[in-house]
Every structure is written in structure tokens, then in C-alpha cells.
Amino acid sequence: MSLPRLDFPTLFYNAAKWPLPGKVLLGCGLAGLVLLIGEAAYLSSSRERLHGFEVREQTLQQQLAEKAELTSSLEARTDQFRAMEDKVTGLLRQLPGQSEVPALLEDIARLAIANGVWVEGITVLDEEPRQLYIEQPMQIGVTGGYHDLAAFVGALGGLPRVVTVQDVALGHDGALLRLNMLAKTYRRTTQSAKAREAFDPAQPLVYTPSFVRDPFQAPGLQVTRVPGRPALAPDLARPRGLLEGMNIDQFKMVGTLSLGAQAFALLRAGSRVHRLTIGDYLGPDHGQVTAIQEGSIHLVERFPDEQGGWLERPRTLVLNVNS
């Protein structure tokens, strides 16, 4: 048995005579066929382009949000940049237009005298140009007691000009300590016709040896130091004694001696023992003995300050229990 062949031309020719449901079914079929062909030919590529536009839209919206946030903080960032620019300009104005090395050497010598240290040598090295300034390095070697050296280095940071200290090396030099360091001062790269404006320098670190132990001495040999206070100038025309040419840290108290009502302190420096009484002088800072006790000797030292005046400070040498 064979199925009858479907004659499509005859079928469509007679479609006008079909009942209404058949016509509707045929119309839906033709419409679906047209939609499938249109989808394949046109709509698929358009839909892909639409998806690409949607992704791009999301990216642009994200960038817009980021730029809007940046714009909202632009004024604050501008104020911050201007403040930083003014600060850099102010720092550059603090730098001198010339090297001013002679004046700096005078300041270093003055600070050394004020703090009781000896300047062994200063070597001025070649200048090192930078982008905004020029460095002037100097190799400095000083000798003195631990607290004196610390106070000297701290005083360098309080100078009106900018001075930094680097490559610090500390070692023994007999009974004293020797400090070698690289100090740098700075100046502007170009000469400015505008005078330097007044500025408020940063608060320098002031070294106060009170209650600070010298790590290079045993606890029983510590020297008590306190900051100086204003005082009258000493008699600079007075002949200086032999013991005033030696650093006070070179002396060790080894005992006391009494002759009647007069008390003497016995101080040893190297292999020699010296005898002092109240009123005698000791050390380079016009140190005068004010009191002698069994376990200590008390002095008052006078030294110049940074303003041309004089300061005084008490100093105590304790008995060397190992003597």
C-alpha cells in the first residue's frame, strides 16, 4: 500500500476554498517561517551588536562614576597640592644662595667650645649638585666625653642653616671618645634676587644628659650632668692651670685627703695623681671646685651659649670604687 503524493501547488491553489481554521493555521505557519528567516538573516547580528552596546554602556557608566568621584575631591586635592608646593618653596627659601662655608665652620667651632669637645679636623669635600639644591659635605672629627659629643651633635641640628649628619662612627681615643661623621649643608641651585623670607624652623632635638647613662662607663663612674643656666662671664684674663688643658672625663676620683680643716680631692689622670681643693680649676670649661665629699667632688663649669652669653652647670665626679 502506498501513500498518496501530496500535491502542494494544487493544495495552495485550493487554499482559497479552505475553511477558516485551515486558513488561520496556514497563515500562522507562513508567519513563523518568515520570523525564522528574518531571525537568521537580520535579527541575530543586531542582537549581538545590542549586547556589545550594553556592555560598553556599563563600562562607560563605571568610568563616569569614577570620574565623578575624582571631580568631587578635585578641590581638596588642589588645596593639598598648593600646600605642598608652598612648603617646598619655603624649604628652598631656607637654603642660602651661597655655600657660606666659613660661617658654618665658625658655628661648628663655637658649638664645640660650648659643649666641651675638641675638633680634631674638618675636611670640606667637593659639592654634589642635585635637582633642586647643591649639597656641601664635610668630614668632621671631634673628641670628647659621651654626653658632650651627643650634645654637640644635637646642637648642629639647631643651627639656622640646614645641617644633616650621616655616617656616624664612634670609637675610643684613650680615655675619651672620638666621633667621625659626615655633615652636609645645602644651598639653592640658582641665585635668587628675592631675599629669604622669615620661617619657623622645626623644633630641634635638644640633648639633655640628665638621667641618661654613659654606655661607655660603668655605673659607679658616671658623671652627673645637667643643662646650663645663665651665669656671669668668667675671668678670661686669668692664667689657666695645667689641669684646665685636659678634658674632665680624663680624671678619675681616687680618694680624699684632709689636712686640718682643709679637704683635698685626689684625681688621677693617666699615671699621675693630682690634688685639688675648693676653689681650684679643672677642665677646659672653667670648672671650679665648690665642694669635696668622701665619695664625690662637685664643680661648676662655665661655657658660652649660642647667643654670646655664658651658662653654668654643676658637674659631679664620683669616687672610682675600683681604684
Side-chain angles (χ1 to χ4, degrees), residues 2-13:
S2 60
L3 296 175
R5 298 180 58 186
L6 187 61
D7 190 358
F8 285 98
T10 303
L11 181 61
F12 286 106
Y13 178 77

Side-chain angles (χ1 to χ4, degrees), residues 101-124:
V101 171
L104 179 59
L105 296 180
E106 292 180 0
D107 289 339
I108 294 175
R110 174 173 51 83
L111 293 179
I113 295 175
N115 291 280
V117 301
W118 284 266
V119 178
E120 298 292 340
I122 300 178
T123 303
V124 179

Side-chain angles (χ1 to χ4, degrees), residues 296-316:
S296 61
I297 175 174
H298 302 274
L299 306 93
V300 173
E301 295 180 319
R302 295 185 184 182
F303 55 96
D305 62 8
E306 299 181 1
Q307 286 76 36
W310 287 84
L311 300 175
E312 68 176 15
R313 63 187 173 203
R315 191 164 185 177
T316 301

Side-chain angles (χ1 to χ4, degrees), residues 218 220-221 251-255 268 295 317-323:
L221 304 180
F251 294 94
K252 291 182 174 61
M253 182 180 180
V254 295
R268 185 177 65 193
L317 299 180
V318 298
L319 179 64
N320 188 343
V321 294
N322 296 324
S323 299

Side-chain angles (χ1 to χ4, degrees), residues 74-92:
L74 181 60
E75 184 176 355
R77 291 176 181 269
T78 301
D79 295 339
Q80 183 180 8
F81 174 76
R82 289 176 179 173
M84 294 175 62
E85 189 177 36
D86 294 340
K87 185 176 182 179
V88 172
T89 302
L91 291 175
L92 291 177

Side-chain angles (χ1 to χ4, degrees), residues 39-50:
E39 171 72 19
Y42 301 101
L43 296 182
S44 60
S45 58
S46 299
R47 186 174 290 106
E48 292 177 358
R49 289 197 300 271
L50 177 62

Side-chain angles (χ1 to χ4, degrees), residues 210-275:
S210 302
F211 311 109
V212 179
R213 191 179 76 84
D214 185 344
F216 294 91
Q217 289 188 3
L221 304 180
Q222 292 300 306
V223 177
T224 303
R225 302 290 299 278
V226 297
R229 56 178 178 268
L232 297 177
D235 183 8
L236 300 179
R238 175 184 59 84
R240 305 295 293 269
L242 175 64
L243 300 184
E244 294 183 81
M246 304 171 64
N247 191 298
I248 199 169
D249 291 330
Q250 295 180 262
F251 294 94
K252 291 182 174 61
M253 182 180 180
V254 295
T256 58
L257 180 65
S258 297
L259 293 178
Q262 189 174 15
F264 295 91
L266 302 180
L267 302 181
R268 185 177 65 193
S271 59
R272 297 186 60 183
V273 176
H274 304 272
R275 187 179 67 177

